[in-house]
Amino acid sequence: MQKKINIAIDGYSSCGKGTLAKALAKSLGYVFIDSGAMYRAVTLFMLREGVDVNDEDAVSLAMERVVVGFEKNAEQQSEVTLNGVSVESEIRNIEVASKVSEVAKIAVVRTKMVALQQAIGLNKGVVMDGRDIGTVVFPDAELKIFMTASQDVRAQRRFAELLAKGDDVTLEDIAKNLEHRDTIDANRENSPLTMTSDYRVLDNSHLDRDAQFALAMDWVETAIQGV
Ligand code: DC
């Protein structure tokens, strides 16, 4: 049987990390984990409970009441759960998006989520996307991909996604939110988004899904051969 590896996919918001990660996991029979969804679920909890997300002590205390997990839906796709209930759709709204970077920079939140992510990856065969997967969560991942795309392309993609869901948003709001999150994600003290020399860089501004998938699959095959 072919050896299993862990695949870390990091990069800025709305670069299509999830799309690629899902496609790779499906084709390889691996588990796909959207680590951003976990930070979004925590953020949703804070918003619902009225916790001030800028108050680190209040967030830390509230974390004692948060359990994040995953379950399969009827289509066998993994959905993030908050205290046992799927919140897959609620975590994608603009309120959560506008607060999640604040929550994700808090140490106690990260420690709890990283421990969970590492436990999921223990047996290999995981494709996880996020910001610190190849640097902090799985520093020994056999394949690390850093995804990037131009800000315009990313804003357009997220806009189309939210419009399709029926959200009342403007392209300008989306672009501002992306810029805000990029700045916080890359400059925060705890596990900032950074790229080390062991990453493969995938700029998909001008690549379609099939081309990006083919490129990544080549890298996967090389990585598996190296195990
Ligand atoms: O990938 P996303 O846009 O759903 O991520 C939501 C937020 O969570 C993003 O602003 C950064 C944060 N995040 C993080 O800090 N670490 C991760 N591993 C994944 C996401």
Side-chain angles (χ1 to χ4, degrees), residues 35-36 39-40 100-101 104 110 130-132 158 181 185 188:
S35 70
Y39 293 99
R40 285 170 179 266
V100 63
S101 289
R110 301 205 71 81
R131 305 295 186 288
D132 60 340
R158 187 70 111 191
R181 283 199 287 154
D185 294 345
R188 68 184 176 214

Side-chain angles (χ1 to χ4, degrees), residues 9-14 17-18 34-40 43 91-92 96-97 99-105 110 113-114 117 128-133 137 158 177-178 180-182 184-185 188 190-193:
I9 303 185
D10 289 309
Y12 292 105
S13 304
S14 301
K17 300 185 296 293
D34 172 358
S35 70
M38 299 166 73
Y39 293 99
R40 285 170 179 266
T43 306
I91 59 164
R92 309 283 164 199
V96 171
K99 298 285 180 212
V100 63
S101 289
E102 258 74 37
V103 173
K105 67 182 185 184
R110 301 205 71 81
M113 294 305 113
V114 168
Q117 291 153 4
M128 193 176 293
D129 79 297
R131 305 295 186 288
D132 60 340
I133 309 307
V137 180
R158 187 70 111 191
N177 175 250
L178 281 184
H180 174 68
R181 283 199 287 154
D182 286 354
I184 298 184
D185 294 345
R188 68 184 176 214
N190 296 313
S191 313
L193 172 65

Side-chain angles (χ1 to χ4, degrees), residues 6 61 96 176 213:
N6 279 341
L61 199 64
V96 171
K176 268 197 206 139
F213 178 74

Side-chain angles (χ1 to χ4, degrees), residues 71 136 139-140 149 172 178 200:
E71 68 178 21
V136 176
D140 298 328
E172 203 192 343
L178 281 184
R200 306 257 195 177

